Amino acid sequence: MNHSMRISASAVRTASLDAWRKLAPGLAIKSPVMFVVWVGTVLSFGMTVQRLAQGEPYGFALCTSLILFFTVWFANFAEAIAEARGRDQAASLKATRRDLTATLRNKAGQLTQVNASALKNGDLLVVEAGQLIPADGEIVLGVASINESALTGESAPVLREAGTDHSGVIAGTMLLSGHIEVQVTAESGHSFLDKMIRLVEGTQRQKTPNELALTVLLAALTLVFLLAVATLPAMAEFVGITLDPLLLIALLVCLIPTTIAGLLPAIGIAGMNRALAANLIAKSGKAVEVAGDIDTLLLDKTGTITFGDRQATAFLPLPGVTQTELVRVAVLSSLQDPTPEGKSVVKLARDLGDVTTLPIDAEFVPFSAETRLSGLRLAAAESSGKDSGFAHAFAYKGASDAIRRFALAQGLAVPQALDGIVSKVAQQGATPLVVVSQQRILGVIQLSDVIKPGVAERFAKLRALGVRTVMVTGDNPITAGAIAAVAGVDDFVAEARPEDKLALIRAEQAKGHLVAMVGDGTNDAPALAQADVGLAMNSGTQAAKDAGNMVDLDSDPTKLLAVVEVGKQLLITRGALTTFSLANDVAKYFVIIPAVFAASMPGIGLLNLMQLPDPQLAVISALIFNAVIIPILIPLALKGVAIRAISAEKLLRNNLLIYGLGGLLLPFAAIKLIDLGLNWML
Ligand SMILES: Nc1ncnc2c1ncn2[C@@H]1O[C@H](COP(=O)(O)OP(=O)(O)OP(=O)(O)O)[C@@H](O)[C@H]1O
Ligand SMILES: [K+]
Ligand SMILES: [Mg+2]
């Protein structure tokens, strides 16, 4: 993906054209504030023509009309340039999805070649090494090594596998090796990526709730100023002056919040652009915005804080159990377990010389996040029944609390020595899996995982931004504690099942927190849906991606930091420019009103701080400032106000100082300068 956020010359060219197109009344009315300026422009041009026709002086009228016109045009240009930049960004993404062909497998097993655009949800595709994946989907068969660089810019191949939490594939990426079957989950043109493309292109942009609220507020302010200006002629009449209606229009435009109204769409689009530049797919502008207000972040341990490639590294038998016996039962419990954990158990056992094979009539009990164990039952033993005197034969492995409970329910004793072994493994941050057969608990498998480098710094940065991090894991409290300490999370919850994660999010939300959550597994889906920001990994299952409101193309769980930053920057930029715009308007009021009345009311002349001699020139100067401040601020609106890791209150105070006080003082100086310039020119 092209991550350049610079403004290209061609973007400026298209935006200039689009700014004209956006003058159409149907589009102009979308922003009530700018529509008032639009109407003012039309009226003003009308009066110019009228004065021209009647042979009256029309210079002031023409100047006013032109400046008003450019005010509207600049606002249109601000939006158009943000959109053009979004289109540039989307173009490279779109290119990955063009003209793909698919090998479709029908129910009878026959293969046919079809165009990817004809694919339907649920279609089964066969993809061979060297081919491009034709549609977004989930691998239902096979293991794949995939190059996603067309999408993410990252050239290192990624591994995707059927039946795991990383089975998702995306159209336009390249299958490097393997032979896979993919089930289509998103028809061409309807995937998250397509949606994001439309969002950044501006073709499917909707105002976010905050944007809508601000638009209403600005419209209300405009109405207040409209009423205030409407009462001026009567007041002027009272003191014996007749006010030129053009002066009133100009005054109104200076007073209403045109700066923020003109820049508002650009700020929102730029937020989406920044998200996409970070390889984040947001399903709506709202998701990005909410991310800025997040104060609690829930992360799971395995695969988020650690690499998630849990590998068996040791078999630790209980006293009185031989290593061979422990290994044999561990292998029995894992032979049909497709998880990376299960496979690694078999691999380590084989390396140690184990040759255990699957007994006939074995019934596989798959791992679930609910039971937190896996293994097999022997159906034959089961059918012989309890009366025959045989116990059910089984071999299980699982989380220590789960196996302990299971063993007790089966009437098996829990050996004293178990705790010691479990804690020893857990204290190193490794995951202990306890192994049990129908006869007894045999010992522990040690699963080792590696903490991702740099997570501690990221969490520290989040803390500085006011975001509390909580690790939620299905693992035991000791392992969780050990990992939490190294990773530097603020808090952790252990032995959590999926519904516990959901309950935790609800509890945090009930306390008034806005919660973000990262996940990739199907069992994360409810929590992802409940969270205010649910960031799903692109590598994850379709259920997770459907439930979340953001997808990370890089499948990097620590990307949540970037999500929060993009969101915060959006909110802070919008807040700062709103403050600036309103402060400007207040200042303009005090510049213009005295200038207008000074000539006929000596008393008010004292208030004419800036000593602007000619009321018409004063108004023109204010109008010019009012217009050009929009393009001047476009780069800031697009780039965003810099955010530093300081507390929200400090940030607010700093911004009030810079954009509030600055916004109040700048117009006095700028308008005086423009006025001096105009006086000199004339
Ligand atoms: N294949 C497996 N067979 C048996 N038990 C397993 C298997 N995989 C994991 N477990 C046990 O179940 C627990 C929960 O695993 P799970 O992967 O659901 O954790 P989680 O809720 O996703 O949390 P996290 O990902 O943070 O560890 C693990 O800590 C481990 O003890
Ligand atoms: K204004
Ligand atoms: Mg997990």
Side-chain angles (χ1 to χ4, degrees), residues 253-259 585 588 626:
V253 169
C254 281
L255 294 188
I256 62 177
T258 45
T259 313
D585 293 339
K588 273 173 269 178
N626 190 61

Side-chain angles (χ1 to χ4, degrees), residues 285-316:
K286 185 184 166 198
V288 175
E289 202 173 76
V290 173
D293 280 329
I294 287 303
D295 61 4
T296 306
L297 175 53
L298 300 187
L299 309 119
D300 74 344
K301 170 179 71 76
T302 314
T304 301
I305 291 171
T306 67
F307 280 108
D309 188 21
R310 284 190 289 215
Q311 296 286 319
T313 45
F315 293 104
L316 308 166

Side-chain angles (χ1 to χ4, degrees), residues 464-465 568-569 571-573 576 641-659:
L465 284 169
K568 277 206 190 299
Q569 195 173 34
L571 294 182
I572 289 168
T573 305
V641 171
I643 62 165
R644 274 151 304 144
I646 54 175
S647 74
E649 292 120 75
K650 253 201 196 143
L651 206 65
L652 190 69
R653 212 176 42 222
N654 286 359
N655 282 344
L656 272 183
L657 208 68
I658 300 171
Y659 295 95

Side-chain angles (χ1 to χ4, degrees), residues 280-476:
L280 287 161
I281 305 295
K283 293 195 197 165
S284 68
K286 185 184 166 198
V288 175
E289 202 173 76
V290 173
D293 280 329
I294 287 303
D295 61 4
T296 306
L297 175 53
L298 300 187
L299 309 119
D300 74 344
K301 170 179 71 76
T302 314
T304 301
I305 291 171
T306 67
F307 280 108
D309 188 21
R310 284 190 289 215
Q311 296 286 319
T313 45
F315 293 104
L316 308 166
L318 278 159
V321 179
T322 64
Q323 163 111 357
T324 320
E325 197 183 351
L326 169 63
V327 171
R328 197 181 69 85
V329 179
V331 169
L332 280 175
S333 75
S334 304
L335 274 171
Q336 285 186 305
D337 180 358
T339 67
E341 289 86 349
K343 286 183 187 160
S344 79
V345 170
V346 177
K347 182 172 179 300
L348 181 65
R350 298 297 190 231
D351 289 349
L352 294 172
D354 176 87
V355 289
T356 309
T357 51
L358 197 67
I360 14 173
D361 287 337
E363 185 197 343
F364 173 53
V365 179
F367 168 75
S368 85
E370 289 294 330
T371 59
R372 288 158 55 242
L373 51 77
S374 64
L376 53 79
R377 252 192 314 254
L378 290 187
E382 193 137 35
S383 61
S384 62
K386 271 201 170 117
D387 323 66
S388 61
F390 290 107
H392 304 259
F394 56 76
Y396 285 116
K397 66 175 184 302
S400 69
D401 65 313
I403 293 291
R404 200 180 294 253
R405 224 173 301 122
F406 174 79
L408 289 174
Q410 296 290 321
L412 298 175
V414 177
Q416 288 276 309
L418 183 63
D419 261 352
I421 304 180
V422 166
S423 329
K424 210 181 120 227
V425 171
Q427 272 154 11
Q428 304 160 21
T431 298
L433 288 188
V434 178
V435 180
V436 65
S437 75
Q438 70 277 11
Q439 283 154 355
R440 57 179 162 162
I441 294 182
L442 297 137
V444 172
I445 308 169
Q446 170 176 295
L447 293 178
S448 301
D449 202 348
V450 178
I451 298 185
K452 290 181 182 170
V455 285
E457 291 92 271
R458 290 182 194 218
F459 293 148
K461 200 166 173 203
L462 279 170
R463 195 171 306 119
L465 284 169
V467 181
R468 191 170 64 102
T469 48
V470 184
M471 182 179 92
V472 196
T473 174
D475 224 326
N476 71 85

